[in-house]
Amino acid sequence: MLIDSSNCIGCKACIVACKQENSLGAGNKFITILPREYLRDHFVKYYAHLSCKHCYEPQCVAACPYGAIKRNEDGVVLHDELKCVGCQVCVTVCRHSAIKIMQNGIVGKCNLCQDRSKLGLPPACVSVCPTNARIFDSKEKILQIAGERQAELESKGYKPQLSGIQNSQTKVVTLYPQK
């Protein structure tokens, strides 16, 4: 998945779709969107997305003392609510603030819509994005699109940062307009 913060308009359709797809009640969500603004030689405004990046070497998996978080063979990091006791160690070690404490005291996180994936559908957050800020495709296609968008931003005077490409097994790539 590519999350292009430079294309995001902050509509929060991805949050709503995620909540509906995962039957998340009030106060629970797997995606957080934070507005960011700053002034360098020009004004920059974008929306930072905090959600699971499905890391290649997830710290949450290593830290969970009960084996409630695993990385499956496809590289998706999954959380097993039945094994989770709510110790919240994973919350403290996640550098992406992607694991959330749910209203029931147990933690929750994005599973990259595994049920939809089995049906050949993109994640719910991707399917509703009106600006194509979220794109789900093969790793090669995502890197191609990210490179094109990065070059476009650079041509407009931005200094974009691309994260999540350090390891080819990470599932989510994020493009920020400037850092």
Side-chain angles (χ1 to χ4, degrees):
M1 181 186 314
L2 170 65
I3 302 173
D4 182 351
S5 291
S6 68
N7 272 8
C8 179
I9 58 173
C11 70
K12 300 182 182 173
C14 54
I15 294 173
V16 173
C18 178
K19 286 176 70 77
Q20 289 175 339
E21 182 67 28
N22 293 289
S23 302
L24 298 176
N28 294 329
K29 61 183 176 179
F30 295 156
I31 301 171
T32 301
I33 297 177
L34 302 173
R36 297 287 186 235
E37 303 177 337
Y38 56 91
L39 184 61
R40 288 255 171 103
D41 56 341
H42 58 279
F43 180 72
V44 178
K45 180 176 183 173
Y46 68 95
Y47 295 92
H49 291 238
L50 302 178
S51 60
C52 186
K53 306 296 186 224
H54 300 277
C55 304
Y56 178 64
E57 295 176 341
Q59 296 300 309
C60 57
V61 170
C64 181
Y66 298 96
I69 304 176
K70 299 275 186 209
R71 186 172 190 273
N72 75 9
E73 61 278 352
D74 293 337
V76 178
V77 179
L78 300 171
H79 173 256
D80 185 344
E81 283 187 24
L82 298 175
K83 290 183 179 178
C84 183
V85 298
C87 69
Q88 303 172 5
V89 172
C90 56
V91 175
T92 62
V93 300
C94 178
R95 60 190 166 122
H96 302 292
S97 302
I99 302 177
K100 311 294 185 189
I101 302 168
M102 301 289 117
Q103 294 295 322
N104 63 3
I106 305 295
V107 299
K109 62 172 292 307
C110 166
N111 67 6
L112 216 52
C113 289
Q114 290 295 281
D115 292 338
R116 290 176 59 90
S117 180
K118 290 175 187 171
L119 299 172
L121 299 171
C125 61
V126 172
S127 67
V128 299
C129 184
T131 62
N132 288 325
R134 287 175 172 261
I135 298 173
F136 190 75
D137 211 320
S138 69
K139 186 72 169 191
E140 296 78 26
K141 184 71 173 171
I142 291 298
L143 292 176
Q144 175 193 346
I145 294 168
E148 291 167 1
R149 289 187 178 185
Q150 187 175 17
E152 181 182 338
L153 286 169
E154 287 171 349
S155 74
K156 293 178 180 178
Y158 290 94
K159 297 173 186 156
Q161 177 190 5
L162 196 57
S163 69
I165 60 169
Q166 301 86 335
N167 188 299
S168 63
Q169 300 300 312
T170 299
K171 300 299 265 183
V172 179
V173 174
T174 307
L175 178 63
Y176 296 103
Q178 187 174 8
K179 199 121 189 164

